[in-house]
Amino acid sequence: MERLVRSCYKKKSGYVFAKKAEDIAREYGMTRIARLASNENPEPLSPAALAAATDALATVNRYPDEKASVLMSALRATYAHEHFVTGVGMDGVIETILRTLVEPGEKVVISTPTFSFYALAAMGQGAETATVPREADFSVDPRKLLKEAKDAKVTVLCSPNNPTGNATPVPVVEEILEGIEGLLFLDNAYVEFSGIDYLPLMRKHENLVLGRTLSKVYALAGLRVGYAFTPRWLPPWYNRAGTPFAVNAVSMAAAAAALSDRERAERYIAQVKRWRKRFMDEVKYPVMPSDANFVMIDVSPHKSDEIVEELARKGVVVRSCRSFTGLEDHYIRASIGADWENELFLEVINSL
Ligand SMILES: *Cc1c(COP(=O)(O)O)cnc(C)c1O
């Protein structure tokens, strides 16, 4: 019966998941593994978020609030902005935005190397995808991007970029916004770690969406909550195109409480900045400058998979960047974790 499956899914492989720490632990007979492969917050969710989620569990015989009011109020209280959309992770937001805007055959432009889900989601909508490679230092040349993106329906730029770690300066983003006819989806999954504020651009540009997630700084990866700052015109259409009741009540309650726990977020951001510097200074291989909660490391002359395997053997799980299209095969990506995980990572990588 597989003949029924769409040919695009038969031609391309799907999302590449990080190897499960549990599997590696079993393979090498280890009890403690440093999980530095998925850019998660190593701390458990905030007690306030846990309490809110637990309370919300008692309501799940009912469908959740279709307006996501609790989460919307928390977002409006946290940020100086009015218009938001929510989804099942930022991945869900990306998919719904493309579903809302992109007709089959229309162009989606992606600045690469980057997060792989954009291309998969665009393919799912039957879009024509074009990729524009970054420069040798992984910066974005706006003129080069605009050559391809000018007439695209949607352009996707990740800043700070996964996996390279660098952010694109505000004036460069503005130049792109002014040169395109379509929409710019700026993926800000890691922006809290950067000190860059793209929000003022929203006041001047009607074609900008800032994608955000609760999975990284707010420690809710497992509850799957994402949102985006949008222009005024987008939410009604997004809600028409999207899956009804996408974000569940437990996730919404936890997300609203997590957003309100600013102190916890700040503590983690400080931890990331402290360790980012130590990784830069102490890893014996070249570390790319990072504005995120991870760093990309050039392990040449070794191959990425080799180093990832060596690290896993010693109890440290990091991400090989081999699967990122447009990146040479000698980079690994290491998240900043808890103190003991970072110490172990430094010790092991420098001993290879
Ligand atoms: C983690 C990540 C996301 C998605 O996160 P969700 O868990 O789906 O909210 C989106 N973009 C980038 C670049 C990411 O690294």
Side-chain angles (χ1 to χ4, degrees), residues 205-266:
H205 299 277
E206 277 222 292
N207 58 346
L208 174 62
V209 169
L210 304 179
R212 297 283 188 97
T213 177
L214 274 289
S215 298
K216 309 284 157 61
V217 69
Y218 290 106
L220 293 186
L223 285 182
R224 315 299 305 120
V225 189
Y227 64 96
F229 297 76
T230 74
R232 177 195 299 274
W233 59 268
L234 185 59
W237 302 108
Y238 177 101
N239 294 330
R240 192 177 289 196
T243 311
F245 307 113
V247 187
N248 70 72
V250 176
S251 297
M252 279 196 275
L259 281 166
S260 311
D261 197 341
R262 203 53 228 165
E263 199 183 305
R264 200 179 180 85
E266 291 300 338

Side-chain angles (χ1 to χ4, degrees), residues 89-91 115 118 158 162 187 189-190 213 215-216 224-226:
M90 196 204 303
D91 294 345
F115 191 54
Y118 314 131
C158 187
N162 180 0
D187 181 331
Y190 301 99
T213 177
S215 298
K216 309 284 157 61
R224 315 299 305 120
V225 189

Side-chain angles (χ1 to χ4, degrees), residues 155-168:
T155 299
V156 185
L157 179 62
C158 187
S159 180
N161 187 40
N162 180 0
T164 57
N166 59 314
T168 300

Side-chain angles (χ1 to χ4, degrees), residues 165-328:
N166 59 314
T168 300
V170 173
V172 174
V173 173
E174 184 143 44
E175 188 173 341
I176 296 164
L177 284 169
E178 281 164 5
I180 56 175
E181 290 157 16
L183 181 119
L184 178 66
F185 185 89
L186 192 67
D187 181 331
N188 276 175
Y190 301 99
V191 80
E192 291 93 343
F193 305 105
S194 75
I196 294 189
D197 186 6
Y198 296 104
L199 198 51
L201 291 174
M202 302 279 321
R203 288 198 268 285
K204 283 189 277 176
H205 299 277
E206 277 222 292
N207 58 346
L208 174 62
V209 169
L210 304 179
R212 297 283 188 97
T213 177
L214 274 289
S215 298
K216 309 284 157 61
V217 69
Y218 290 106
L220 293 186
L223 285 182
R224 315 299 305 120
V225 189
Y227 64 96
F229 297 76
T230 74
R232 177 195 299 274
W233 59 268
L234 185 59
W237 302 108
Y238 177 101
N239 294 330
R240 192 177 289 196
T243 311
F245 307 113
V247 187
N248 70 72
V250 176
S251 297
M252 279 196 275
L259 281 166
S260 311
D261 197 341
R262 203 53 228 165
E263 199 183 305
R264 200 179 180 85
E266 291 300 338
R267 210 165 50 234
Y268 172 50
I269 292 166
Q271 158 91 353
V272 165
K273 289 184 175 167
R274 199 161 56 240
W275 276 100
R276 210 159 61 186
K277 172 141 192 350
R278 279 198 59 189
F279 281 15
M280 285 289 282
D281 294 345
E282 294 178 34
V283 172
K284 70 177 180 184
Y285 299 101
V287 178
M288 309 301 119
S290 170
D291 287 296
N293 67 343
F294 58 83
V295 293
M296 191 170 81
I297 300 168
D298 181 352
V299 294
S300 54
H302 305 286
K303 292 268 183 263
S304 38
D305 285 359
E306 255 167 64
I307 296 290
V308 168
E309 184 67 24
E310 289 279 326
L311 288 169
R313 241 178 242 287
K314 304 208 163 111
V316 181
V317 190
V318 300
R319 173 75 195 259
S320 163
C321 294
R322 182 172 54 79
S323 66
F324 287 90
T325 310
L327 200 58
E328 282 168 22

